[in-house]
Amino acid sequence: MLAEKYSIVSVVAQALRGQRGWKPVWREPEPRAEYDVVIVGGGGHGLATAWYLASQHGITSVAVLEKGYLGSGNVGRNTTIVRSNYLLPGNIPFYEHSLKLWEGLERDINYNAMVSQRGVLNLFHSDAQRDAYARRGNAMRLHGVDAELLDRDAVRRLYPFFDYDNARFPIQGGLLQPRGGTVRHDAVAWGYARAADRRGVDLIQNCEVTGIRVEGGRAVGVETGRGVIRARKIGLACAGNSSRVAAMAGLRLPIESHVLQAFVSEGIKPLVDGVVTFGAGHFYMSQSDKGGLVFGGDIDGYNSYAQRGNLPVVEDVCEGGMALMPGIGRLRLLRQWGGLMDMSMDGSPIIDRTPVEGLYLNAGWCYGGFKATPASGWCFAHLIARDAPHPVATAFRLDRFATGHLIDEKGAGAQPNLH
Amino acid sequence: MRIACPFCGPRGSEEYTYLGDATVRRPEGDAPSEAWFAYVYLRDNPAGRHRELWYHGAGCRSWLVVERDMRSHDILSVAPARDMALARGRAA
């Protein structure tokens, strides 16, 4: 049973039938005893990996195992921002590849993910910060990524309601990436899931992996709440819980799990056109299509698996918002939630083989996982299918911590809560 | 989240700074690089009881070893890091 292809024809036909003919968009199959590839984790990255395995590499004997429901983790807990404004060589080509995939995603998976390239603006508040952003913008342009350094007046034309003359953090300008923006995050999970299912990938929900079977140094299958599932290759895409799952195969990772909170205000009329980040604290904001301001800030800063945070960070985020845009103080907070971040030791991700043959790792996304979703799936599928890293992901090695080839954008060192 | 400092009593977590896992041990200076790699980078990161170092910077400025459940944030025990280090030194 294939879900129907969406088009103007299907929309009109359903409208004429009173919208009563829509069918479930993916099957709910029983797990088979064996697959070519088992992906652990039915979030954005796992579902994208399954889709690209099927569509780019012709591997359709694939199961995605999800302990809850599809997209119940971080793909639905982020602030929906996509961008590729990175500084370091290992990162820029990867995230730019991701942004290019976002640009063609909806046609590729035949699903409206509401990709909106409304621009991402990083504000700076001092001469030194202007220099740092000029450097970053130049690094981006040298890699063929769009970047514009805006002065104060140019920022004021875009966002007249910011506090430009704040005594401590006057806005001096900003680095704009016009191609950055937002994507409806749940639709990304649903779209990839539906597309993968149409190619024959089995999406198994409520199926928690409780063990990884290793025989003779080779991973041969997983133990789950729904029985043992054997696989020729196993890919872990369960960021937030990577340490826990990798430990089932005897691995210790350079990762700590931390909680990151996000917030939505009550809905207001269209006000904030793009994505804006405050440069003197940690605060970033955009406006959803429903009208709520979506914003976030720092991780709470301590290890956690609780998917909820504490009030000091709520206060800190709101202070950042007030310093940037005092009018935000008139709004009420509608919702607030937390998600689990794989905070790696250098702030950058891992897409690599592991010392266990047949076991592949996609982890350490810190709080940059959402924007990476398409390229993460693309490169992880490439790695699993060909046993060789994709050219734009060669730097994301698991052994880089032992060899000293770190990718530390912030230069914070091996202290995950500072990345 | 409130942490009961042994010197100052229960205080909000915003008074403290978090360092991380308190169970990793600094290797000897001449230890092989694998030992240093494990010390600097690898963590157990358990989804359960976790012993970790917190610094009471807005209070008595003591380093504390806090045992906390990572799934619920329940604080299970708090002890001065110095006492624990001294006890460990005597045992070694």
Side-chain angles (χ1 to χ4, degrees), chain A residues 221-391:
Chain A
V222 292
E223 294 158 18
T224 77
R226 296 170 68 171
V228 175
I229 302 172
R230 293 182 71 84
R232 291 200 303 114
K233 295 180 174 181
I234 299 169
L236 306 184
C238 40
N241 285 284
S242 296
S243 299
R244 221 161 55 80
V245 180
M248 295 173 191
L251 302 177
R252 255 178 116 212
L253 301 181
I255 286 173
E256 290 180 0
S257 296
H258 284 252
V259 59
L260 175 65
Q261 303 188 62
F263 311 83
V264 175
S265 77
E266 59 187 322
I268 54 172
K269 288 181 179 176
L271 177 67
V272 182
D273 297 336
V275 179
V276 184
T277 73
F278 180 51
H282 199 161
F283 176 82
Y284 41 91
M285 171 180 60
S286 63
Q287 188 168 15
S288 82
D289 295 315
K290 283 193 288 188
L293 298 184
V294 183
F295 51 94
D298 265 322
I299 52 175
D300 270 41
Y302 45 81
N303 290 40
S304 173
Y305 280 92
Q307 289 193 319
R308 60 182 160 76
N310 273 292
L311 285 171
V313 166
V314 178
E315 190 176 7
D316 183 67
V317 169
C318 292
E319 283 172 351
M322 288 297 289
L324 172 66
M325 182 180 162
I328 205 173
R330 305 288 293 274
L331 288 177
R332 277 167 291 204
L333 207 57
L334 189 66
R335 291 187 292 127
Q336 165 265 359
W337 64 92
L340 300 188
M341 311 292 107
D342 262 14
M343 296 305 295
S344 71
M345 284 289 177
D346 64 353
S348 294
I350 297 159
I351 304 178
D352 202 358
R353 286 170 289 197
T354 69
V356 180
E357 193 72 23
L359 184 67
Y360 302 80
L361 180 66
N362 175 323
W365 289 98
C366 300
Y367 36 93
F370 179 66
K371 74 179 88 66
T373 304
S376 167
W378 183 280
C379 295
F380 200 36
H382 185 284
L383 176 74
I384 292 171
R386 303 191 186 184
D387 269 310
H390 187 276

Side-chain angles (χ1 to χ4, degrees), chain A residues 177-260:
Chain A
Q177 184 182 22
R179 287 165 59 242
T182 60
V183 181
R184 167 100 166 85
H185 53 197
D186 297 313
V188 174
W190 300 332
Y192 273 124
R194 172 176 167 276
D197 177 85
R198 279 168 60 89
R199 294 286 180 117
V201 170
D202 282 357
L203 310 175
I204 320 277
Q205 308 187 65
N206 300 311
C207 182
E208 179 163 2
V209 169
T210 52
I212 296 174
R213 290 212 170 161
V214 180
E215 294 172 4
R218 185 176 179 86
V220 295
V222 292
E223 294 158 18
T224 77
R226 296 170 68 171
V228 175
I229 302 172
R230 293 182 71 84
R232 291 200 303 114
K233 295 180 174 181
I234 299 169
L236 306 184
C238 40
N241 285 284
S242 296
S243 299
R244 221 161 55 80
V245 180
M248 295 173 191
L251 302 177
R252 255 178 116 212
L253 301 181
I255 286 173
E256 290 180 0
S257 296
H258 284 252
V259 59
L260 175 65

Side-chain angles (χ1 to χ4, degrees), chain A residues 243-244 252-258 301-306 308 310 312 345 401-402 406 414-415 417, chain B residues 1 13-14 18-21 24 37 40-47 50 52 54 68 70-73:
Chain A
S243 299
R244 221 161 55 80
R252 255 178 116 212
L253 301 181
I255 286 173
E256 290 180 0
S257 296
H258 284 252
Y302 45 81
N303 290 40
S304 173
Y305 280 92
R308 60 182 160 76
N310 273 292
M345 284 289 177
F401 302 93
L406 305 182
Q415 188 61 36
N417 62 348
Chain B
M1 192 160 67
S13 63
E14 66 272 26
Y18 181 75
L19 182 68
D21 193 330
V24 290
F37 159 65
V40 175
Y41 293 114
L42 298 185
R43 298 291 179 266
D44 287 335
N45 192 23
H50 189 238
E52 53 200 22
W54 291 76
R68 196 167 54 91
M70 304 244 288
R71 289 163 300 193
S72 63
H73 298 166

Side-chain angles (χ1 to χ4, degrees), chain B residues 8 11-17 55-62:
Chain B
C8 312
R11 300 290 181 90
S13 63
E14 66 272 26
E15 289 194 5
Y16 300 81
T17 302
Y55 175 64
H56 197 185
C60 58
R61 294 197 254 167
S62 299

